[in-house]
Amino acid sequence: MTVETLAHVGCADCPIRHRAVCARCEEDELAALDGIKYYRSYEAGQLIIWSGDVMNFVGSVVSGIATLTQTMEDGRTQMVGLLLPSDFVGRPGRSGAAYNVVATTDLVMCCFRKKPFEDLMARTPHIAQRLLEMTLDELDAAREWMLVLGRKTAREKIASLLTIIARRDASLTPQGVVNTLTFDLPLTREAMADYLGLTLETVSRQMSALKKDGVITLEGKRRIHVPNMARLFEEAGDDSDGGFLS
């Protein structure tokens, strides 16, 4: 979805409406948000925010994927998170950015001028409540990712990343997560290796193994078909509901 398309789409018809920070807003609250919002587009590889920069906006990813990275003093960089559609960018009450944010694919954001958003948030419980829910979900995801990186095998790590992307992709459609899914993988093999703490060779080998065993099929370089989501959950060490097996 492009900025030009979104300019003619009302908030009620936004593709991330039911998951974004505005999910609980009433019509008057949406109108208030509409008065301080604007759309921005970024090309794949473009820097959105540099760590330490003063942020004059916050916003939600509408389409595309971005990465959160941290860079050490000696230049080493670690990917610490993914921003998927409906994820919130920026932190009210904090002037500077804590991470580098880089567009992995072409990306569109729904941005809000920061000070007006903070003022609106203070007098709009629905926005504050939804942002709290999203923050807690992000905390849960971070704890889950600690398990992925610390305890799972290389095959389970790859399967876990695929389930995360598949579930989020499915959550943006009316039918939600179904047993058979097809989605585009937004990350290169190199980016997957960086995010998972694996070598490029290991990522390629495990992707090939999942394909050989019928867990996934590859349609081109990035298009992935999952014939049985329950089996992918099992490969990730998760149950069919997406939780961890006891």
Side-chain angles (χ1 to χ4, degrees):
M1 185 165 284
T2 65
V3 170
E4 291 75 17
T5 302
L6 286 167
H8 297 90
V9 174
C11 288
D13 298 317
C14 177
I16 62 169
R17 169 75 169 88
H18 64 294
R19 286 189 55 89
V21 69
C22 55
R24 298 187 181 278
C25 289
E26 304 292 346
E27 290 300 320
D28 60 330
E29 296 165 340
L30 284 177
L33 280 174
D34 191 57
I36 61 171
K37 81 176 182 184
Y38 59 95
Y39 294 106
R40 293 186 65 177
S41 61
Y42 300 88
E43 297 180 353
Q46 185 176 353
L47 180 70
I48 300 172
I49 302 165
W50 190 259
S51 176
D53 282 353
V54 174
M55 289 188 64
N56 57 11
F57 73 94
V58 295
S60 297
V61 177
V62 178
S63 63
I65 307 289
T67 59
L68 296 172
T69 63
Q70 279 191 313
T71 303
M72 300 176 66
E73 291 184 0
D74 61 5
R76 286 178 292 172
T77 299
Q78 175 63 49
M79 190 189 305
V80 296
L82 290 176
L83 292 172
L84 304 173
S86 79
D87 282 342
F88 193 76
V89 182
R91 181 167 167 181
R94 174 180 288 180
S95 60
Y99 306 101
N100 306 322
V101 183
V102 180
T104 301
T105 66
D106 290 346
L107 180 140
V108 175
M109 281 186 57
C110 176
C111 302
F112 306 103
R113 290 180 287 120
K114 189 173 183 183
K115 184 59 168 63
F117 181 85
E118 291 173 341
D119 293 342
L120 184 60
M121 180 179 162
R123 63 178 187 269
T124 309
H126 285 150
I127 295 177
Q129 180 185 9
R130 179 57 185 152
L131 190 57
L132 174 60
E133 290 174 353
M134 295 174 72
T135 302
L136 293 175
D137 287 344
E138 185 178 342
L139 178 60
D140 286 342
R143 289 169 172 168
E144 177 181 334
W145 199 246
M146 288 174 63
L147 176 61
V148 171
L149 296 180
R151 292 296 181 181
K152 290 193 175 185
T153 65
R155 183 181 177 105
E156 288 173 334
K157 288 180 179 181
I158 297 294
S160 294
L161 181 58
L162 295 180
T163 60
I164 289 170
I165 295 172
R167 284 187 297 184
R168 177 59 67 86
D169 189 79
S171 73
L172 298 175
T173 62
Q175 68 268 26
V177 180
V178 293
N179 196 46
T180 300
L181 284 176
T182 301
F183 61 94
D184 290 319
L185 183 63
L187 299 174
T188 64
R189 298 287 195 270
E190 290 86 351
M192 290 173 66
D194 183 29
Y195 192 39
L196 294 168
L198 301 172
T199 65
L200 175 60
E201 292 75 14
T202 298
V203 171
S204 296
R205 186 166 57 250
Q206 294 301 330
M207 287 288 288
S208 297
L210 290 171
K211 176 184 176 182
K212 180 180 178 181
D213 293 342
V215 180
I216 61 172
T217 56
L218 302 178
E219 303 171 4
K221 292 184 177 180
R222 298 287 186 90
R223 192 74 172 166
I224 292 182
H225 176 70
V226 183
N228 188 332
M229 279 297 296
R231 186 176 179 195
L232 182 60
F233 284 133
E234 291 174 359
E235 292 288 348
D238 301 341
D239 63 23
S240 59
D241 295 324
F244 292 112
L245 291 167
S246 58

